[in-house]
Amino acid sequence: MSEITIRALMQIDNLQPKFAAYNGATVQGSVPLSGDTVLIGEFAPGNGVFSLIDRALKASSVEATTQMVEREFGFFILRSPSNAEVSAARDSMLAELGASMTDRLKPAISSTQIITSVEPYQAQLLNKWRKGALIVPGQTLGIVECAPAAYISIAANEAEKAAEIDIVEVRAVGRFGRLFISGSENSVKTAVEAATRAIEAVDGQDG
């Protein structure tokens, strides 16, 4: 399976309550809970995701939360309350690929935005397609964009660890990942900084 590119692969322990709730409302399969460990990945070509998930499920007691193939890439989330079981799942995938974590692509921040005192009409437009918390007019909105897309998940979890914010939307599939958060101006600034640091700290190969 050497032809598969590991676009993203990350193990997130201590899933935060709001990010866990967001995932619970949007995933296809086993619902992750606060405190769980999740393994999130993105592969190219996309169809490689199916055999790799099969390998991980047979090698550990993790449960499948999401598996999907969009136009270009395959995306998955596996979960377990046991960090060791998620590590076993991760290692089985890497063994199948003959790869290590340093073979994944290194993410990069594409853009960040902080919009203070969101106007009512823009809040309404954003609320039309959000899957998480509603944006209340007057709040501050923070947006983080990165590539590869799946890495936005680690940004969301670290943003919630760092500050009291609400998760509005996490788009982890496609060419770019996007995180939308809301709250007070200070909280959003702190959370965006934490999200940016989390993505910049991930090692890997230049894409």
Side-chain angles (χ1 to χ4, degrees):
M1 301 186 72
S2 58
E3 72 278 5
I4 291 179
T5 299
I6 306 173
R7 289 185 49 79
L9 189 62
M10 76 210 82
Q11 186 165 331
I12 303 174
D13 61 4
N14 191 21
L15 203 64
Q16 296 298 290
K18 291 177 182 176
F19 188 42
Y22 179 91
N23 277 281
T26 57
V27 299
Q28 305 161 318
S30 179
V31 173
L33 302 177
S34 177
D36 276 358
T37 297
V38 293
L39 184 68
I40 301 176
E42 178 184 296
F43 299 126
N47 278 349
V49 73
F50 299 118
S51 57
L52 288 167
I53 287 177
D54 178 70
R55 176 69 180 264
L57 292 173
K58 288 174 176 173
S60 67
S61 65
V62 297
E63 296 179 353
T65 290
T66 294
Q67 67 173 6
M68 62 180 296
V69 176
E70 48 91 52
R71 289 193 305 172
E72 296 179 271
F73 312 126
F75 174 82
F76 74 88
I77 305 174
L78 303 175
R79 64 156 291 276
S80 174
S82 167
N83 191 61
E85 290 299 324
V86 175
S87 294
R90 179 201 65 207
D91 291 347
S92 70
M93 285 186 167
L94 291 171
E96 182 74 5
L97 293 169
S100 69
M101 289 292 279
T102 56
D103 292 312
R104 63 188 174 178
L105 294 185
K106 180 176 177 61
I109 296 290
S110 303
S111 69
T112 62
Q113 296 180 54
I114 294 176
I115 301 171
T116 59
S117 191
V118 174
E119 289 294 320
Y121 284 115
Q122 186 169 42
Q124 293 287 39
L125 289 173
L126 293 167
N127 287 334
K128 290 288 187 180
W129 48 253
R130 60 94 193 127
K131 297 184 182 70
L134 288 165
I135 301 175
V136 177
Q139 286 186 317
T140 292
L141 173 68
I143 307 170
V144 180
E145 182 180 52
C146 76
Y151 286 113
I152 205 67
S153 300
I154 198 168
N157 204 59
E158 291 303 310
E160 185 179 343
K161 281 184 184 179
E164 183 61 38
I165 48 93
D166 287 322
I167 293 177
V168 175
E169 180 80 3
V170 184
R171 296 185 173 182
V173 176
R175 179 62 65 177
F176 293 96
R178 295 181 178 92
L179 168 67
F180 297 78
I181 58 176
S182 63
S184 70
E185 183 175 351
N186 286 339
S187 293
V188 169
K189 285 182 177 179
T190 298
V192 167
E193 290 170 358
T196 301
R197 286 195 303 270
I199 290 172
E200 292 175 341
V202 177
D203 61 1
Q205 304 295 316
D206 291 332

